[in-house]
Amino acid sequence: MTEWRQYSELQLDPVLRAALEAFVDTGYHGATVRDIARRAGLSVPGIYHHYATKQDMLLGILDITMDDLLARSRAAKEEGAGDPVRSFALLVECLVLFHCYRRDAAFIGSSEMRSLEPANRTRIAALRTAQQRLIDAEVDEAARSGRFQVAYPHDAARAAATMCIAVPSWYRIGHESTPEQVAERYVDFALGLMHYAGPRPV
Amino acid sequence: MTEWRQYSELQLDPVLRAALEAFVDTGYHGATVRDIARRAGLSVPGIYHHYATKQDMLLGILDITMDDLLARSRAAKEEGAGDPVRSFALLVECLVLFHCYRRDAAFIGSSEMRSLEPANRTRIAALRTAQQRLIDAEVDEAARSGRFQVAYPHDAARAAATMCIAVPSWYRIGHESTPEQVAERYVDFALGLMHYAGPRPV
DNA sequence: GACCATACCGAACGCTCGCTCGGTAGCAAG
DNA sequence: CTTGCTACCGAGCGAGCGTTCGGTATGGTC
């Protein structure tokens, strides 16, 4: 994954695609297997031929989504290797692009964590923690070298991440701004939040 | 509401208190009326003596919560009247304190909007829009006078608000930081996000 | 003492839920 | 031309859902 800015349609089989639509509309508990089947153009047993339980559908969506995000984030971070301010800016850009282009999946990823059974939640939560640590590491280093003037680096990193994660709550494709425009603005917001005073690194 | 920084236990009757607990644990659709009844120490018909439907319980919680937030926000804004930077800072402080002290109710307020029936959603959404407009107005004015160096004031205001609204996703009372400490840090983050360079106004 | 409103409850109604049973249709391999 | 595999479906199971019915107990009013 070197082209982390490049997005084509998310690769989901028809069942997961239908499940994702249903979960976005009514939430995991509110979505019925009959509704998912109708959206997929299948019967209810047709759905169960592919996935053993509704829980497995949620888990499948979240696994694919988090793998995609982590791969892109690692590539973005790599692009700025050696310069923590630049790496941080690229991570924010990546996070916003992802939450615009993968809006539905990203939205489910943050809103339906609690609908996972404990063992599944533990696994997915670990992926989300890994994602946050990528950001924390760059902020820590930029703060240590004095380029970010921030007294509580982890709090600041979390604040920056959460404002990106909230993007799907208001953005959708077709919005007056493109994902690239939103990402550019959010990089600027995030650097400001860190009280970064130098030149914009992206 | 002049003492918008003061918090005592949220005034909810036993049924709404139980419903709020249940909604936080499993979400609106995942919570059952039997579960709410058990938490309230009542039978199922006992619950229906007080509220006609489960939907009315969600609506009651959201109404009380949004009224509380809006009253506090208007008071906070008033305290900085005449100085938009100060008003904005007070609004952010108020928003963070609220999302710490009223964590559960605030969490439901942002996560269960989609579980409201259309007519109810419209009403509550209007309250949330009013809340956002309070912030927008101050950011607009601070940007117009050049004290906030931000090219897209509404995007910046939304970014600032969403990072505050996300606080309940990680904070709970008993956290190593007090609500007042979190609020102070977030005011600093929000002002940085606006590229504010002057003295801290709070 | 009759009346009424408030605050509840045991039992159950009709429905929908996640999920399964016992199939069929199509197709490739032997 | 049988066998076996994949991809499905009509019908329905048992459980649990939101909600309701027909009560009872309590306490205040005239």
Side-chain angles (χ1 to χ4, degrees):
Chain A
M1 173 70 68
T2 54
E3 294 177 348
W4 54 270
R5 289 184 177 91
Q6 213 65 31
Y7 283 86
S8 53
E9 195 74 8
L10 181 58
Q11 288 302 323
L12 287 182
D13 64 61
V15 174
L16 288 193
R17 195 180 304 273
L20 177 54
E21 270 183 41
F23 294 160
V24 167
D25 278 7
T26 49
Y28 176 76
H29 286 295
T32 71
V33 174
R34 283 161 180 82
D35 181 34
I36 295 170
R38 188 161 14 83
R39 290 177 196 257
L42 289 176
S43 67
V44 168
I47 293 289
Y48 280 97
H49 177 69
H50 297 279
Y51 291 90
T53 63
K54 189 169 88 163
Q55 175 81 191
D56 283 351
M57 302 175 212
L58 177 58
L59 190 56
I61 291 168
L62 264 40
D63 260 332
I64 291 169
T65 301
M66 287 308 301
D67 281 356
D68 189 20
L69 173 59
L70 264 174
R72 290 174 188 271
S73 293
R74 293 200 175 103
K77 178 193 179 94
E78 192 57 34
E79 196 176 307
D83 180 350
V85 173
R86 184 164 147 76
S87 265
F88 170 76
L90 292 166
L91 277 169
V92 170
E93 182 187 358
C94 176
L95 200 54
V96 173
L97 287 179
F98 185 85
H99 281 78
C100 288
Y101 280 116
R102 298 273 183 266
R103 180 197 177 263
D104 288 359
F107 176 69
I108 294 305
S110 60
S111 63
E112 296 295 353
M113 285 295 291
R114 66 170 163 189
S115 302
L116 287 170
E117 288 157 12
N120 296 335
R121 178 161 54 235
T122 302
R123 218 187 64 231
I124 303 294
L127 298 177
R128 294 184 72 86
T129 303
Q131 164 68 30
Q132 183 61 39
R133 282 209 212 291
L134 292 183
I135 301 174
D136 285 345
E138 304 304 321
V139 174
D140 275 344
E141 200 178 321
R144 210 165 23 238
S145 67
R147 298 178 68 196
F148 284 173
Q149 312 266 331
V150 69
Y152 301 92
H154 283 220
D155 283 9
R158 185 168 44 205
T162 54
M163 84 185 176
C164 300
I165 289 166
V167 164
S169 70
W170 56 270
Y171 186 85
R172 43 224 74 187
I173 297 292
H175 188 270
E176 55 171 354
S177 307
T178 65
E180 287 73 20
Q181 290 172 322
V182 177
E184 189 188 337
R185 290 170 207 176
Y186 268 66
V187 168
D188 197 45
F189 298 154
L191 290 171
L193 193 153
M194 299 294 169
H195 302 283
Y196 172 74
R200 300 290 131 165
V202 182
Chain B
M1 175 67 69
T2 53
E3 294 176 350
W4 56 269
R5 288 185 178 90
Q6 214 64 33
Y7 283 86
S8 53
E9 195 75 7
L10 181 58
Q11 288 302 323
L12 286 182
D13 64 61
V15 174
L16 288 194
R17 195 180 305 273
L20 177 54
E21 269 182 43
F23 294 161
V24 167
D25 277 7
T26 49
Y28 176 77
H29 286 296
T32 72
V33 174
R34 284 163 181 79
D35 181 33
I36 295 170
R38 188 162 13 83
R39 290 179 196 256
L42 289 176
S43 67
V44 168
I47 293 288
Y48 280 97
H49 176 71
H50 297 279
Y51 292 90
T53 62
K54 188 169 89 164
Q55 174 81 192
D56 283 352
M57 302 174 212
L58 177 59
L59 190 57
I61 292 168
L62 264 43
D63 260 332
I64 291 168
T65 302
M66 288 307 301
D67 282 356
D68 189 20
L69 174 59
L70 263 173
R72 289 173 189 273
S73 293
R74 292 200 175 105
K77 179 193 178 94
E78 192 55 36
E79 195 175 309
D83 180 348
V85 173
R86 184 164 148 75
S87 265
F88 170 75
L90 291 167
L91 277 169
V92 169
E93 182 188 358
C94 176
L95 200 54
V96 172
L97 287 179
F98 184 86
H99 281 79
C100 288
Y101 280 116
R102 297 273 183 266
R103 179 197 177 263
D104 288 359
F107 176 69
I108 294 306
S110 61
S111 63
E112 295 296 354
M113 286 294 292
R114 66 169 163 190
S115 302
L116 286 170
E117 288 158 11
N120 296 336
R121 177 160 57 234
T122 303
R123 219 188 62 231
I124 303 294
L127 297 177
R128 293 184 74 85
T129 303
Q131 165 68 30
Q132 183 62 38
R133 281 208 212 293
L134 292 183
I135 301 174
D136 285 345
E138 304 304 320
V139 174
D140 275 345
E141 201 178 321
R144 211 165 23 237
S145 66
R147 299 178 68 196
F148 284 173
Q149 312 267 334
V150 68
Y152 301 92
H154 283 219
D155 282 9
R158 186 169 41 208
T162 55
M163 83 184 176
C164 300
I165 289 166
V167 164
S169 71
W170 57 269
Y171 186 85
R172 44 223 73 187
I173 297 292
H175 188 271
E176 55 171 354
S177 307
T178 65
E180 288 73 21
Q181 289 172 322
V182 177
E184 189 187 337
R185 289 170 207 175
Y186 268 66
V187 168
D188 197 45
F189 297 155
L191 290 172
L193 193 153
M194 299 295 168
H195 300 284
Y196 172 75
R200 300 289 131 167
V202 180

